[in-house]
Amino acid sequence: PDFRSKLGELRLRGNKVESLDPAIVRCLTSVAFLDASMNNLKDLPSVLGYLPCLRRMPLEGNAIRSIRASLLTNTPALMKFLRGRDSAPPGDDYLAGPDPAGSAGGALTKVEVGQAKSLVNSALAGTFTLDLSGKELSNMPGALMAELTADCANGGGTVGGRVRRLVLARNSVEQLDFLAVLTGLTYLDAGQNNVRDLPDVLAKTPIVELRLARNQLSSRAIAGSPTCRVGDPVSTFATTLSTLDISGNGLEWLPGALSTLPNLSTLILANNNLTTLAAGTSDGEDSGWQKGYTSLETLNLAGNNISNLGDLPINLIECCPLLRNLSLANNELTLIPPELGVLDSLTSFDLTGNPQRGVRMDILCRRASDQLAYLRSRLGENDLQSLESKRKAASGTAPSGDVGEEADASSCSTQRIDELRRSIEDITLQLNNVYLTEAKKYALKKEMKMLKASLIKVERQAKQMNR
């Protein structure tokens, strides 16, 4: 245990290393460069964070899900994170551990009675945001509930009905039933809590953006909740929701009910326990990737255990003409479906960190258009034509006419693209007005989605004409 290696560099790239033995790592007190990239690592020992000479540690091409991807590319930050996991090994040759008193901070740890009125008053101006983040709350304090249920001084409902944004992150909240008093809420961030289910009252709340990262939600809790069902009775939440972040929870299968949400544009499912996206049934509910998601623009499935994509590539081609961002990084994919190459609307595409060996790492590190072109090149001509037809049908792209018509159409397309972009910019500026009514915001966002869909369609038509 007292042995100290004088090794300055250790290169393990491109093997099949599944773990780094802490007993060996602790001996590497002189290592400045440790290359463990392109292996099968799923986690890192904390003792790495205490190596005094380590300056660089490439880790790309592994399937490490227990650590954020941003840390894996920043060795000093990664080492600090690892030191926070466990105490330093015995001996004088290691870096010092974290200071236990260093995390105290000066933030309020609870909401006192005298603070309730001040907090609520600040939420009735500007962006109408009630910020309760990092206050060690397990539920909504009684003093705050009293303020929120009080009638407005000038009439027009309760005080809680005027709050539009609630930030509840970094607490210990388990239940969200108190949302019943926040009838006008459009934004909720309750990340890093202990939420286990979605309350029925959520169905009546016009939330546009819901962030529940790093809670304790299960697939069954989401699939069985009436809030995510578009039907009878109609769920307001299901029809208004645009952004859903349920990363870092305990989802073991993908709830099929999410596919029916008509305005869902951003879906973040990273760092769960999903293993397959194949359509089927789990716990009596539809599961896997179902047809739908017609408004989807961003899909993040990174950091799961997915080895089977099911019909995801085909369904994205047929149903998701607006998709711009797709991440399947750090999963268990042994094969990259070449059908993904037909998704030419993508501007961000991440497939790194999978155990597949069919696509070289240098290709996966290129821009999205280059990755898509490579995948398309691996399709047979008949398959490519069939998939292109499905994509065009989804986006409404019409076939080209003769040469003269194409020249006129090309000029018109350029003008139309400029008009659509200006319209989208105008609506973006309008949405920055905090005094807009919720009805007006909803109408503007709906109009923007239609304009974006039209822009993608016209851009594709112009691309076809220029080929």
Side-chain angles (χ1 to χ4, degrees):
D2 295 326
F3 173 75
R4 297 291 183 267
S5 169
K6 294 184 179 180
L7 190 68
E9 292 188 7
L10 178 58
R11 299 177 183 270
L12 299 171
R13 178 183 174 88
N15 290 282
K16 296 182 180 180
V17 179
E18 295 183 353
S19 64
L20 298 176
D21 189 339
I24 295 176
V25 172
R26 62 180 292 183
C27 300
L28 304 176
T29 50
S30 297
V31 164
F33 178 78
L34 197 167
D35 186 353
S37 59
M38 301 303 295
N39 281 288
N40 297 327
L41 295 175
K42 297 184 183 298
D43 202 357
L44 298 173
S46 352
V47 68
L48 276 171
Y50 290 97
L51 298 182
C53 297
L54 186 59
R55 296 293 179 268
R56 186 162 173 255
M57 184 166 50
L59 290 164
E60 69 272 9
N62 286 285
I64 301 172
R65 300 175 191 82
S66 55
I67 302 173
R68 294 196 311 273
S70 59
L71 289 176
L72 295 176
T73 57
N74 185 339
T75 300
L78 174 61
M79 292 179 67
K80 182 178 180 181
F81 170 81
L82 292 173
R83 290 196 297 274
R85 277 181 159 186
D86 203 355
S87 57
D92 299 327
D93 299 332
Y94 302 101
L95 297 177
D99 180 8
S103 59
L108 294 171
T109 58
K110 58 182 179 178
V111 177
E112 304 291 351
V113 174
Q115 297 172 313
K117 186 177 290 293
S118 175
L119 283 167
V120 172
N121 285 341
S122 66
L124 299 181
T127 58
F128 299 94
T129 300
L130 178 57
D131 190 350
L132 301 175
S133 57
K135 298 189 183 300
E136 298 186 5
L137 303 176
S138 58
N139 207 331
M140 185 69 79
L144 269 173
M145 287 294 288
E147 292 291 334
L148 293 171
T149 54
D151 292 333
C152 292
N154 57 353
T158 63
V159 171
R162 297 186 61 190
V163 176
R164 295 293 177 263
R165 299 167 58 89
L166 173 62
V167 182
L168 201 61
R170 304 189 309 281
N171 285 289
S172 301
V173 174
E174 296 183 4
Q175 302 291 333
L176 298 175
D177 295 329
F178 56 82
L179 294 177
V181 303
L182 303 174
T183 55
L185 202 65
T186 61
Y187 174 93
L188 171 61
D189 181 358
Q192 300 183 51
N193 279 279
N194 298 320
V195 178
R196 295 177 181 274
D197 53 42
L198 302 179
D200 292 352
V201 68
L202 198 61
K204 301 178 181 179
T205 311
I207 289 182
V208 175
E209 185 170 344
L210 177 61
R211 297 193 176 274
L212 291 171
R214 298 174 67 181
N215 277 278
Q216 299 181 33
L217 290 165
S218 66
S219 301
R220 185 71 183 86
I222 295 173
S225 171
T227 58
C228 293
R229 298 183 184 276
V230 179
D232 188 17
V234 175
S235 167
T236 301
F237 171 85
T239 56
T240 60
L241 187 66
S242 175
T243 297
L244 177 61
D245 181 357
I246 45 178
S247 58
N249 280 274
L251 275 65
E252 296 183 346
W253 45 272
L254 178 60
L258 297 178
S259 66
T260 63
L261 302 178
N263 293 303
L264 186 64
S265 63
T266 299
L267 178 58
I268 304 176
L269 294 160
N271 302 317
N272 279 286
N273 299 318
L274 303 175
T275 58
T276 179
L277 298 181
T281 303
S282 301
D283 293 344
E285 301 284 350
D286 289 339
S287 63
W289 193 268
Q290 310 281 338
K291 284 192 174 183
Y293 300 101
T294 54
S295 298
L296 200 61
E297 298 180 24
T298 296
L299 174 61
N300 188 342
L301 287 160
N304 282 279
N305 299 301
I306 300 170
S307 59
N308 182 1
L309 292 178
D311 292 330
L312 174 74
I314 301 299
N315 287 343
L316 290 180
I317 292 169
E318 294 180 342
C319 304
C320 304
L322 303 178
L323 191 66
R324 295 296 183 98
N325 309 293
L326 174 61
S327 178
L328 293 166
N330 298 324
N331 278 285
E332 294 291 340
L333 298 176
T334 57
L335 176 67
I336 304 299
E339 292 85 355
L340 290 172
V342 180
L343 297 170
D344 60 0
S345 61
L346 291 180
T347 57
S348 173
F349 190 30
D350 191 355
L351 290 166
T352 58
N354 283 284
Q356 65 83 31
R357 294 294 182 261
V359 183
R360 299 193 312 273
M361 176 56 66
D362 65 297
I363 293 175
L364 296 182
C365 293
R366 296 177 186 175
R367 59 186 182 182
S369 58
D370 292 339
Q371 294 182 63
L372 296 171
Y374 176 81
L375 292 174
R376 277 199 305 274
S377 71
R378 304 181 72 177
L379 286 167
E381 184 176 348
N382 291 337
D383 290 337
L384 181 57
Q385 289 179 355
S386 174
L387 293 170
E388 287 283 3
S389 296
K390 292 179 179 180
R391 180 188 60 77
K392 291 175 183 178
S395 60
T397 304
S400 300
D402 59 34
V403 176
E405 290 174 345
E406 287 182 2
D408 293 338
S410 177
S411 175
C412 292
S413 294
T414 302
Q415 295 177 7
R416 179 61 176 154
I417 288 172
D418 291 339
E419 291 174 1
L420 288 169
R421 286 176 177 168
R422 284 195 296 270
S423 297
I424 290 172
E425 289 175 0
D426 290 343
I427 292 179
T428 302
L429 291 174
Q430 292 182 58
L431 286 171
N432 289 331
N433 184 355
V434 297
Y435 297 103
L436 283 178
T437 65
E438 292 310 310
K440 181 63 174 175
K441 280 185 182 178
Y442 180 76
L444 286 172
K445 287 183 177 181
K446 187 172 182 180
E447 183 181 354
M448 180 179 281
K449 283 184 188 234
M450 295 174 65
L451 289 170
K452 285 182 177 179
S454 298
L455 178 60
I456 290 174
K457 184 191 302 184
V458 176
E459 286 177 337
R460 282 178 175 165
Q461 288 174 341
K463 188 184 296 184
Q464 291 290 333
M465 292 174 189
N466 293 330
R467 284 180 179 176

